[in-house]
Amino acid sequence: MATGKVTVDGETVKINGAKNLLEVVRRAGIELPTFCYHSELSVYGACRMCMVEVEGQGLVAACSTPPADGMKIHTNTPRTRRLRRMVLELLLANHERECTTCERSGSCKLQQLARRLGVTQVRFGQRDKRVPVDNSSPSLVNNPNKCILCGDCVRMCKEIQGVGIWDFAFRGSRTRVTTAFNRPLAEVGCLNCGQCVAVCPTGALAVKSEINLVWSALQDPDRMVVVQVAPAVRVAIGEEFGLKRGEASTGRMVAALKKLGFDRVFDTTFTADMTSIEEAMELLQRLETGEKLPLFTSCCPAWVKYAEQFHPELLDNLSTCRSPQQMFGSLVKKHYCREIGKGPREIVCVSIMPCTAKKFEARRTEFTTDGVRDVDFVLTTVELAQMIKEAGIVFADLEPEAFDNPLGVGSGAGIIYGASGGVMESVVRFLYGYLTEADEVGRVNFYPARGMEGIKEAQVDIQGQRLRLAIVNGLVRAEELIQRLRRGEVFYHAVEVMACPGGCLGGGGQPVPNDTAARLERMKGLYRLDRGEQLHKPQDNIFVTRAFERWFGGWANARTHRDLHTRYQPRRALSCSIS
């Protein structure tokens, strides 16, 4: 661990284990500009925006230079200012400058730094060749003309998700970030997780918008439009309107949705409770037979696709439960519609999700009946915020409103689905109440499941049954755990896997910055909501238990398996043939 002191613009700063000069400079209260630096990823040092002058060494990249005792660092000299402006001008010259119509306008890091550093004109000509935009993915759009070659997406996909969809190709001025064999996104092993979008500083990678499709549905007088909202959305959407990270905006969000014209506003926590009950009963059945263990959760569509592509041998271990999003769609199109005298084609089901992979999940053939999708459209948190702004709704001035019944009530166990460990804790809450003989079981908080660690392990004893559990977020860590299972180094009865760091609250459709600090605050917000809920365990939700009885004659039976469960098949990671 590095020790000692350095001088930053005349101020003495302790090193205290800092890995690079950038960390030291930030401790001095100076925010150096960066494009390619992310504390969660490896150091790349390509953009050269963080250059500083070190006495005796000259210009160095702060992100890749380790501190040493006695260094004298200068961050704001004529040379560093001139260099940063030159770098920005060169990036802008090679960048498509249709800023007013760009998805990232207003939140584009290139745009922000150009304004901050006073770059008002570019002395170099624009790029002379335009590369086609890739719209093939149901979740993401790739516009190479806006790429600045920072490599953030490349490292995120390799180092956090372990898939490596993106990489650099060609050399010199022809260098670009692309997929294997330059194939469209829909033809390679992309998981649709959107983490590349979360770290992209420009609009080169963006979420594929379904806003106009939803507007069309809302304006169709012959169709009823219902919407479900995922737990992680309520603690993030406020960031788009200047509220604090993690601040719950549930009531104002519901009010905004009703003003937008949605006929019914429901809560995905309702079917999160259903998922917990069905998954817990499935686990009990497997424990009884000793087969298909460990049980892997199947709520995360990016994880499911990863298993289909890279670990088809584990598909029998995946829970057959649909995700809460798809359970909700099935309830609406197969049961709720009958109660209100509608047919499935007369109802449009819209999801508001923190996750870009949910767009892909909604289009899976497993979730289509007679040509009708269970979930018609999926909007991300940011897309919903865009609709609210487009409609001119002043979010901060809205009076809070409640979700509609009967699908608008969820327990605290459903709310924490948005955090890594939330699914597992919800299942534990159900099992503890279901298996314990006491007439009244109080609150059950399973703290070992909580937190941002990549792999969490826990044991819980319920009525003499000791369960070994694991919780994973980030697919590199999931792969690590799978290999340990293969080698026989560990054994678990159940494993929760979420592709995105921190779980759904760090999904690719959440507001930027979508970094560790933001995820931690959102996680705290979810647990605050959980503490305030009177309904604590999934079975505490009388609306859910009534729905099971009314529509299925109980839980965990043949009827629930028909409408609330599914199975997955192996798929190729590269669907094109290479000649």
Side-chain angles (χ1 to χ4, degrees), residues 363-389:
R363 292 170 178 249
R364 293 187 67 117
T365 56
E366 295 93 339
F367 306 131
T368 299
T369 305
D370 298 328
V372 179
R373 289 184 196 161
D374 291 338
V375 175
D376 296 284
F377 306 115
V378 178
L379 299 175
T380 63
T381 308
V382 173
E383 285 177 277
L384 173 58
Q386 289 172 347
M387 288 187 72
I388 294 170
K389 293 171 184 176

Side-chain angles (χ1 to χ4, degrees), residues 276-277 279-281 283-284 287 413 423-446 459-467 469 536-540 555:
S276 299
I277 293 170
E279 197 160 287
M281 297 304 292
L283 176 59
L284 288 177
L287 290 171
V423 178
M424 190 67 75
E425 180 168 352
S426 183
V427 169
V428 168
R429 289 183 186 184
F430 173 81
L431 288 175
Y432 194 84
Y434 182 75
L435 297 176
T436 300
E437 296 176 355
D439 292 334
E440 187 70 27
V441 176
R443 300 181 75 85
V444 180
N445 293 309
F446 190 45
Q459 295 184 29
V460 59
D461 293 306
I462 305 176
Q463 289 297 95
Q465 174 77 60
R466 171 165 290 189
L467 299 181
L469 311 172
H536 182 67
K537 301 182 295 299
Q539 61 267 49
D540 294 341
W555 59 49

Side-chain angles (χ1 to χ4, degrees), residues 264-411:
R264 298 287 188 277
V265 181
F266 294 133
D267 196 345
T268 312
T269 59
F270 182 93
T271 40
D273 285 339
M274 297 188 87
T275 303
S276 299
I277 293 170
E278 289 290 304
E279 197 160 287
M281 297 304 292
E282 183 180 12
L283 176 59
L284 288 177
Q285 184 180 12
R286 295 195 190 189
L287 290 171
E288 186 176 336
T289 63
E291 298 175 347
K292 300 178 184 177
L293 293 174
L295 179 143
F296 283 88
T297 60
S298 56
C299 295
C300 173
W303 151 243
V304 169
K305 193 179 181 194
Y306 181 86
E308 289 177 317
Q309 293 179 165
F310 303 111
H311 289 287
E313 76 281 0
L314 292 179
L315 292 181
D316 284 342
N317 291 73
L318 260 64
S319 168
T320 61
C321 292
R322 298 185 181 202
S323 70
Q325 168 179 278
Q326 296 307 138
M327 278 198 186
F328 182 92
S330 184
L331 285 184
V332 167
K333 294 293 181 77
K334 296 180 177 70
H335 301 279
Y336 177 71
C337 66
R338 295 175 190 166
E339 288 199 352
I340 59 174
K342 300 278 186 182
R345 296 182 186 276
E346 297 177 274
I347 292 186
V348 176
C349 182
V350 178
S351 296
I352 312 296
M353 295 284 146
C355 170
T356 55
K358 289 294 181 184
K359 293 175 179 280
F360 165 78
E361 181 184 51
R363 292 170 178 249
R364 293 187 67 117
T365 56
E366 295 93 339
F367 306 131
T368 299
T369 305
D370 298 328
V372 179
R373 289 184 196 161
D374 291 338
V375 175
D376 296 284
F377 306 115
V378 178
L379 299 175
T380 63
T381 308
V382 173
E383 285 177 277
L384 173 58
Q386 289 172 347
M387 288 187 72
I388 294 170
K389 293 171 184 176
E390 184 179 347
I393 296 170
V394 182
F395 190 79
D397 293 346
L398 290 171
E399 287 294 322
E401 295 191 37
F403 287 109
D404 295 315
N405 286 327
L407 308 180
V409 177
S411 72

